[in-house]
Amino acid sequence: MGKRKSSAKPPPKKRMDKLDTVFSCPFCNHGTSVECRIDMKNLIGEASCQICQESFSTTVTALTEPIDIYSEWIDECERVNTLEDEDA
């Protein structure tokens, strides 16, 4: 009689790397000065620079990460800059 084939174990799952929570400021260009905080109780996310005191706040969901808040801030800055260029 033949021996039963043993099933191979599935490969271990790869761990996801942690996303950054500290970024460079779009106004003063100082690296690692913008810190993002998420307040899930009030559903508010805030990104603020510790050097030039600029800040940005937005509404968040359960899936929001600090990089999302920072990206929204950058997008808002670009949107305002394009509006100023069109007006000039």
Side-chain angles (χ1 to χ4, degrees), residues 26-85:
F27 294 98
C28 66
N29 291 327
H30 193 275
T32 67
S33 64
V34 174
E35 185 177 284
C36 295
R37 288 183 293 277
I38 300 174
D39 182 9
M40 290 306 293
K41 184 178 179 184
N42 297 322
L43 296 178
I44 294 175
E46 182 180 19
S48 59
C49 178
Q50 298 164 349
I51 305 298
C52 66
Q53 305 303 318
E54 287 291 330
S55 64
F56 173 77
S57 60
T58 185
T59 57
V60 296
T61 64
L63 300 176
T64 303
E65 295 288 330
I67 186 70
D68 299 324
I69 298 168
Y70 180 73
S71 298
E72 284 185 35
W73 189 15
I74 298 297
D75 293 342
E76 188 67 21
C77 290
E78 290 177 357
R79 188 184 67 80
V80 169
N81 287 338
T82 57
L83 288 177
E84 288 177 358
D85 289 346

Side-chain angles (χ1 to χ4, degrees), residues 1-7:
M1 297 199 63
K3 185 178 177 183
R4 289 188 183 186
K5 290 184 179 179
S6 62
S7 61

